[in-house]
Amino acid sequence: MTRRRTGWMLLIAANVLCYCVLSFYRATDAAPRDTMPRLANPAADRLETIALLGEIKELLKEQNDLLRSGTLKVVICDPERR
């Protein structure tokens, strides 16, 4: 008798737990929709991206030249002693 009663109590507890978890569910969007399109002018955005990539390329060339030259000096200091 106690085994049957324990089984029913566990079933009721599981149902209550599932009901509580499912009561938090809401059918809404994760983020509000934008009224303005993100890419208003794709051609201008593409040109800007290309220009930024060119700048990055030049900076990487400069950094690689510094690393290859062997004259680069690295100084490590404790930030708390400043």
Side-chain angles (χ1 to χ4, degrees):
M1 183 72 178
T2 60
R3 189 173 187 188
R4 183 176 231 179
R5 188 177 209 179
T6 306
W8 277 106
M9 291 179 88
L10 287 174
L11 180 64
I12 290 171
N15 283 334
V16 168
L17 181 67
C18 287
Y19 176 76
C20 290
V21 168
L22 291 176
S23 67
F24 290 117
Y25 176 77
R26 295 198 200 304
T28 60
D29 292 335
R33 299 202 184 265
D34 292 336
T35 57
M36 207 170 85
R38 294 186 69 189
L39 298 175
N41 190 351
D45 289 341
R46 192 175 308 119
L47 290 175
E48 182 183 353
T49 302
I50 291 171
L52 289 172
L53 287 173
E55 290 178 31
I56 291 171
K57 182 179 177 183
E58 292 300 319
L59 289 171
L60 282 173
K61 279 184 183 179
E62 184 181 335
Q63 184 178 8
N64 285 335
D65 290 341
L66 278 173
L67 290 172
R68 284 190 188 113
S69 70
T71 59
L72 188 66
K73 183 179 177 184
V74 178
V75 177
I76 300 173
C77 64
D78 191 10
E80 294 176 2
R81 288 190 176 185
R82 287 186 177 178

